[in-house]
Amino acid sequence: MSHAEPPPILISDVQQTLARELERIAPIIDELGARFSAAGHELALVGGPVRDAMLGRLQEDLDFTTSARPEQTEKLLKGWADAIWDMGRDFGTIGCRKGEWTVEITTYRSETYDPTSRKPDVDYGTSLVADLQRRDFSVNSMALTVPERGFEDPFGGLVDLANRTLRTPGKAEDSFSDDPLRMMRAARFAAQLGFEVAPDVVAAMTAMADRIQIISAERVRDELVKLICAPYPRRGLALLVETGLAAHVLPELPALSLERDEHHRHKDVYEHSLTVLEQAIDQEDRLSPDGPPAPDFLVRFAALMHDVGKPRTRRFESGGVVTFHHHDVVGAKITKKRMKALRFSNDQIDAVTKLVELHLRFHGYGDGEWTDSAVRRYVRDAGDQLVRLHILTRADCTTRNQSKADRLRRAYDDLEERIERLSEEEELASIRPDLDGTQIMEILQIPPGREVGQAYAWLLELRMEEGPKTEDEAKAALLQWWAAR
């Protein structure tokens, strides 16, 4: 399962993995290190790439830190890099591409936030150790000087890596005051790496949670996406809720922890939603049948948000029954509002809200009352989100009653088989009327206008209800409808 416990980390394994990864990137680090050293500058591979090299998950992005100023870095890269860019110059960063590698080189720096500002003040630093001290966590405060490949770990990052622990190099309060987004990153790394967060870091996150409000919605959104698409999202989300950060960035999540009493027992909606998220992750291979499964934010976020309408729609009925009528529709509206606040794209908002709104549609199918027309409407309403809706609907079954779970699974198997059969017969994915607008105007002898649209809509409903017709049958039905008007 994608959310199983992470494997243990042995320092001997870390050392072997690091040595293997360094050989893979040797052409880059050796050549760059030699160029900077010859010019009298220090250069070190730093932060995430060092950590990921130790974990065997290094990608093609390499981060370096240097004593050279940006203009000196740019000069040294000319003639070596395939392409150079300087969008990060104001932050001391020059980027380049060399073959398959993307390289960013940043001057030693220190960075602090004004309590009323969203933008950091950047000051250049003078030493590697001072640069490492200003980084977010000890596992990201390790460096490898090049070309000599000296390992620098002044804050115990290697031990923390082996212990699967996230700590800050200095006081957590100072780190989060410098950049409050680091609190979100703590949760994100917990989700990505399966690490525990040190108690003092959790305490600082809890005490300073409201400080996240000075960070732009876009930066918060990006961290949230990375967290949700990580291998262990439950860990990160639980940390956001525990520390109170979620109350500021995704308040709908802690709101799912509905209070219960001895007379009104019902499923814990918060825990249920996290379980649905994990069960959706287990089905992501359906979205990439021709390759390895990839994290899919849309289906994961829909799974997390599918029941956010329940707190607002909860009603206590006689006999201790709890109802959540129309929580699907209400939840879709809440989801849309939250995603807009987090600056998601319209396409992402439309996809997730559609899934939230449709997640209950399947219920009732097991009674065997769905006609072919109902199946066609299910497919039409899902549109290009049909496979994600299949995943979400199946994931939403968290009952411990095995016979009920088996019954629901068989019913959905049957629905998917009917969809596949009808799709082969009728091309359900692109369902449209049997006559187009031009034919409608010719048959009814009318010009373009509102009446053509009305006729088209009527023919589409006829197609949904009765299935495909021949052109002659559709023409006769259209004329009959027109005369009856």
Side-chain angles (χ1 to χ4, degrees), residues 272-289:
H272 164 74
S273 297
L274 294 179
T275 300
V276 173
L277 166 61
E278 291 179 330
Q279 293 186 169
I281 292 171
D282 290 336
Q283 301 177 65
E284 282 180 325
D285 56 345
R286 297 190 59 171
L287 294 165
S288 50

Side-chain angles (χ1 to χ4, degrees), residues 169-462:
K171 287 181 61 179
E173 291 84 357
D174 294 341
S175 180
F176 297 153
S177 182
D178 283 349
D179 184 354
L181 191 66
R182 289 173 174 174
M183 296 186 287
M184 290 286 295
R185 285 211 290 266
R188 189 244 292 182
F189 285 129
Q192 283 183 331
L193 304 174
F195 283 16
E196 296 293 333
V197 180
D200 65 306
V201 177
V202 174
M205 291 169 68
T206 305
M208 302 175 68
D210 62 349
R211 187 108 162 82
I212 197 68
Q213 295 176 88
I214 74 164
I215 302 298
S216 70
E218 290 83 358
R219 295 182 73 202
V220 169
R221 174 202 63 208
D222 292 346
E223 286 298 326
L224 197 58
V225 171
K226 291 174 185 176
L227 187 163
I228 289 171
C229 290
Y232 314 102
R234 181 189 281 260
R235 286 174 175 253
L237 293 166
L239 184 62
L240 291 182
V241 172
E242 175 191 348
T243 57
L245 276 164
H248 298 287
V249 301
L250 195 64
E252 295 77 14
L253 187 59
L256 290 174
S257 296
L258 300 174
E259 69 279 1
R260 291 180 291 175
D261 60 47
E262 58 182 338
H263 302 297
H264 300 112
R265 298 185 182 278
H266 56 78
K267 190 181 295 184
D268 185 320
V269 185
Y270 169 69
E271 289 294 333
H272 164 74
S273 297
L274 294 179
T275 300
V276 173
L277 166 61
E278 291 179 330
Q279 293 186 169
I281 292 171
D282 290 336
Q283 301 177 65
E284 282 180 325
D285 56 345
R286 297 190 59 171
L287 294 165
S288 50
D290 300 323
D296 186 86
F297 173 75
L298 298 180
V299 77
R300 291 187 183 203
F301 198 56
L304 187 64
M305 301 291 282
H306 77 284
D307 273 347
V308 294
K310 280 191 169 180
R312 196 172 294 179
T313 59
R314 184 173 60 158
R315 299 289 182 272
F316 296 120
E317 309 292 347
S318 59
V321 175
V322 182
T323 64
F324 304 97
H325 295 311
H326 307 302
H327 78 266
D328 46 347
V329 177
V330 173
K333 291 178 180 176
I334 292 172
T335 300
K336 183 175 185 177
K337 184 177 179 181
R338 176 55 48 201
M339 292 185 76
K340 278 189 170 183
L342 288 169
R343 307 286 195 273
F344 281 97
S345 71
N346 289 334
D347 287 346
Q348 290 173 305
I349 294 171
D350 290 345
V352 174
T353 53
K354 177 185 286 187
L355 290 167
V356 173
E357 186 168 357
L358 293 178
H359 82 273
L360 287 182
R361 182 72 67 86
F362 162 73
H363 294 279
Y365 177 81
D367 298 335
E369 298 173 356
W370 276 32
T371 60
D372 283 352
S373 170
V375 175
R376 293 186 194 104
R377 292 178 191 280
Y378 190 77
V379 174
R380 182 190 66 178
D381 291 347
D384 58 1
Q385 301 304 318
L386 181 62
V387 177
R388 289 189 177 95
L389 183 58
H390 290 335
I391 292 172
L392 175 59
T393 304
R394 288 181 181 275
D396 195 22
C397 176
T398 61
T399 179
R400 295 178 183 177
N401 183 324
Q402 193 58 49
S403 62
K404 181 180 179 182
D406 290 342
R407 187 170 69 251
L408 287 168
R409 178 180 51 77
R410 286 194 300 269
Y412 209 87
D413 286 345
D414 184 65
L415 174 58
E416 286 204 54
E417 288 170 9
R418 286 183 66 186
I419 289 172
E420 189 172 350
R421 187 173 67 250
L422 279 173
S423 293
E424 290 174 358
E425 296 171 359
E426 305 181 13
E427 298 182 5
L428 284 189
S430 55
I431 199 164
R432 56 180 59 86
D434 297 297
L435 301 172
D436 61 25
T438 302
Q439 292 171 305
I440 290 170
M441 288 187 287
E442 288 177 355
I443 292 168
L444 300 182
Q445 297 182 332
I446 57 176
R450 188 163 54 91
E451 291 177 321
V452 178
Q454 292 172 342
Y456 187 93
W458 182 83
L459 283 168
L460 179 59
E461 283 299 310
L462 184 69

Side-chain angles (χ1 to χ4, degrees), residues 10-303:
L10 302 177
I11 289 184
S12 58
D13 292 340
V14 167
Q15 291 168 333
Q16 292 176 8
T17 304
L18 177 61
R20 187 169 60 247
E21 291 285 72
L22 289 181
E23 286 309 306
R24 186 166 70 90
I25 63 175
I28 297 290
I29 62 176
D30 291 349
E31 290 178 15
L32 260 184
R35 291 177 79 90
F36 276 74
S37 180
H41 300 297
E42 299 172 0
L43 183 71
L45 185 70
V46 71
V50 177
R51 177 201 71 220
D52 288 343
M54 291 177 169
L55 294 172
R57 60 197 295 273
L58 181 63
Q59 304 298 314
E60 281 70 44
D61 296 332
L62 300 178
D63 296 330
F64 293 85
T65 187
T66 181
S67 59
R69 295 299 172 98
E71 61 275 9
Q72 295 169 321
T73 295
E74 188 172 23
K75 186 176 179 180
L76 287 166
L77 290 176
K78 286 180 178 175
W80 178 81
D82 299 329
I84 300 174
W85 53 88
D86 67 349
M87 286 90 76
R89 183 184 292 274
D90 290 345
F91 299 97
T93 301
I94 301 294
C96 72
R97 179 176 52 80
K98 177 71 170 177
E100 63 183 313
W101 302 96
T102 299
V103 173
E104 288 195 345
I105 304 176
T106 303
T107 303
Y108 295 155
R109 68 188 188 186
S110 59
E111 200 175 88
T112 56
Y113 265 79
D114 183 280
T116 61
S117 171
R118 291 181 174 182
K119 297 184 182 298
D121 297 320
V122 176
D123 295 314
Y124 293 136
T126 56
S127 74
L128 176 58
V129 171
D131 183 88
L132 296 177
Q133 186 170 16
R134 57 154 285 277
R135 293 176 180 268
D136 51 8
F137 303 104
S138 62
V139 294
N140 297 331
S141 298
M142 298 180 285
L144 195 81
T145 59
V146 292
E148 66 274 17
R149 302 191 186 180
F151 181 53
E152 298 289 337
D153 182 21
F155 304 104
L158 179 58
V159 172
D160 283 342
L161 188 78
N163 290 332
R164 291 192 171 280
T165 300
L166 280 177
R167 286 189 309 107
T168 51
K171 287 181 61 179
E173 291 84 357
D174 294 341
S175 180
F176 297 153
S177 182
D178 283 349
D179 184 354
L181 191 66
R182 289 173 174 174
M183 296 186 287
M184 290 286 295
R185 285 211 290 266
R188 189 244 292 182
F189 285 129
Q192 283 183 331
L193 304 174
F195 283 16
E196 296 293 333
V197 180
D200 65 306
V201 177
V202 174
M205 291 169 68
T206 305
M208 302 175 68
D210 62 349
R211 187 108 162 82
I212 197 68
Q213 295 176 88
I214 74 164
I215 302 298
S216 70
E218 290 83 358
R219 295 182 73 202
V220 169
R221 174 202 63 208
D222 292 346
E223 286 298 326
L224 197 58
V225 171
K226 291 174 185 176
L227 187 163
I228 289 171
C229 290
Y232 314 102
R234 181 189 281 260
R235 286 174 175 253
L237 293 166
L239 184 62
L240 291 182
V241 172
E242 175 191 348
T243 57
L245 276 164
H248 298 287
V249 301
L250 195 64
E252 295 77 14
L253 187 59
L256 290 174
S257 296
L258 300 174
E259 69 279 1
R260 291 180 291 175
D261 60 47
E262 58 182 338
H263 302 297
H264 300 112
R265 298 185 182 278
H266 56 78
K267 190 181 295 184
D268 185 320
V269 185
Y270 169 69
E271 289 294 333
H272 164 74
S273 297
L274 294 179
T275 300
V276 173
L277 166 61
E278 291 179 330
Q279 293 186 169
I281 292 171
D282 290 336
Q283 301 177 65
E284 282 180 325
D285 56 345
R286 297 190 59 171
L287 294 165
S288 50
D290 300 323
D296 186 86
F297 173 75
L298 298 180
V299 77
R300 291 187 183 203
F301 198 56

